[in-house]
Amino acid sequence: MEVNIEQLEKDFQAKIDAGINIEPKDWMPERYRHQLIRMMSQHAHSEVVGMLPEGNWITRAPSLMRKMVLLAKVQDEAGHGLYIYSATETLGISRDEMTNQLLTGKAKYSSIFNYPTLNWADMGAIGWLVDGAAIVNQTALAKCSFGPYARAMLRICKEENFHQKQGYQILANMMQGTEEQKQMAQDSVNRFWWPSLMMFGQVIKTLLTLMNSCVGKLNSIVMTIYVSVLLTEQCHRQKQLE
């Protein structure tokens, strides 16, 4: 039986226009599948790599309570990566293949996690600013057209709200401490403020073609996930030139 691709594409677009989620067993255009794999795998990589800067401070947390809370947060991030990896696997790519793409540099992760965490206040700045920016981005992703990704975002956003509150509490407590602690908190906010804003991305000419090539309401994903990598790296290069 001959497959009518044109009709399949019309039916696919009709689902998108009606706000019906696309599920793994549904027919989808190959470029839609490819774009999802690229962006979802990068998101999953970012969740896993995002554990590393904070994981370094688990043994150096200032109290047992802080250590327990930070350990729970890092564990949450591992779970976020697992949710998204599992959702991506429904598109026909294996976990091993995604991991290999990351290790070989073919796949990217959010470069905000390349910034060093110099002191305990950075745990607060990451929670308050970086996770706060992630919440805005991921709330939009919860409305994306691919069902498994959208459903994963619902749980992830709830846990990220806890992370943001934890970060705010760390900074608020330090701002009530000694002068040295206040300066440490301010320095951390100063260093993570611009990288956090870069997570929102911006429309630049080099990305217009990429945005226009997307189908199925993936433009918001391009702006919130893929752009953060490119823009952060671009700003970092500009600072080096200065």
Side-chain angles (χ1 to χ4, degrees):
M1 181 177 179
E2 185 177 349
V3 177
N4 189 332
I5 298 298
E6 184 177 350
Q7 185 59 47
L8 289 173
E9 288 182 345
K10 288 182 179 179
D11 293 342
F12 171 83
Q13 192 58 47
K15 283 186 177 181
I16 297 297
D17 295 339
I20 300 173
N21 281 344
I22 304 300
E23 299 299 335
K25 292 184 178 181
D26 293 342
W27 183 91
M28 62 186 72
E30 190 56 36
R31 60 175 179 165
Y32 177 86
R33 183 189 304 275
H34 175 74
Q35 194 79 316
L36 273 173
I37 289 175
R38 180 170 62 171
M39 291 183 287
M40 289 174 65
S41 64
Q42 190 236 306
H43 190 170
H45 297 329
S46 298
E47 296 286 356
V48 172
V49 175
M51 296 188 295
L52 302 179
E54 295 172 306
N56 288 332
W57 283 91
I58 291 176
T59 59
R60 295 180 283 174
S63 69
L64 178 60
M65 183 193 73
R66 292 295 185 194
K67 181 178 295 189
M68 292 172 62
V69 173
L70 184 60
L71 188 61
K73 180 184 178 183
V74 171
Q75 187 176 19
D76 284 347
E77 301 296 353
H80 298 173
L82 177 62
Y83 303 153
I84 304 171
Y85 278 134
S86 298
T88 311
E89 285 180 301
T90 66
L91 292 165
I93 185 171
S94 69
R95 190 84 55 89
D96 287 343
E97 188 176 352
M98 286 186 278
T99 302
N100 185 61
Q101 289 176 350
L102 174 64
L103 296 177
T104 59
K106 182 178 180 180
K108 303 294 184 181
Y109 61 87
S110 182
S111 57
I112 194 169
F113 300 118
N114 290 331
Y115 289 83
T117 49
L118 305 179
N119 54 56
W120 174 252
D122 288 352
M123 300 301 98
I126 289 175
W128 187 40
L129 298 177
V130 178
D131 291 339
I135 290 170
V136 175
N137 290 341
Q138 292 171 0
T139 299
L141 290 173
K143 301 175 184 178
C144 76
S145 58
F146 187 54
Y149 197 18
R151 290 188 289 272
M153 287 302 102
L154 293 177
R155 177 166 180 173
I156 289 174
C157 285
K158 292 178 181 178
E159 294 178 352
E160 291 292 358
N161 274 287
F162 160 75
H163 300 167
Q164 186 187 32
K165 292 176 182 177
Q166 177 231 10
Y168 175 83
Q169 185 187 52
I170 290 174
L171 291 177
N173 287 351
M174 293 189 74
M175 291 305 293
Q176 296 175 2
T178 65
E179 192 62 34
E180 182 181 5
Q181 288 173 322
K182 292 178 182 179
Q183 292 176 0
M184 188 182 297
Q186 184 62 61
D187 172 68
S188 181
V189 171
N190 291 346
R191 284 185 288 107
F192 278 95
W193 174 256
W194 285 112
S196 298
L197 291 181
M198 293 173 196
M199 293 181 68
F200 295 111
Q202 69 180 39
V203 179
I204 54 180
K205 291 182 180 179
T206 56
L207 293 175
L208 291 179
T209 303
L210 176 62
M211 290 180 61
N212 291 333
S213 70
C214 291
V215 294
K217 295 184 179 178
L218 291 182
N219 284 0
S220 62
I221 305 180
V222 173
M223 291 302 297
T224 56
I225 297 296
Y226 187 64
V227 172
S228 64
V229 178
L230 299 181
L231 185 60
T232 304
E233 291 175 350
Q234 181 188 44
C235 292
H236 181 65
R237 287 195 296 269
Q238 289 176 348
K239 286 185 178 180
Q240 288 181 325
L241 293 175
E242 294 173 357

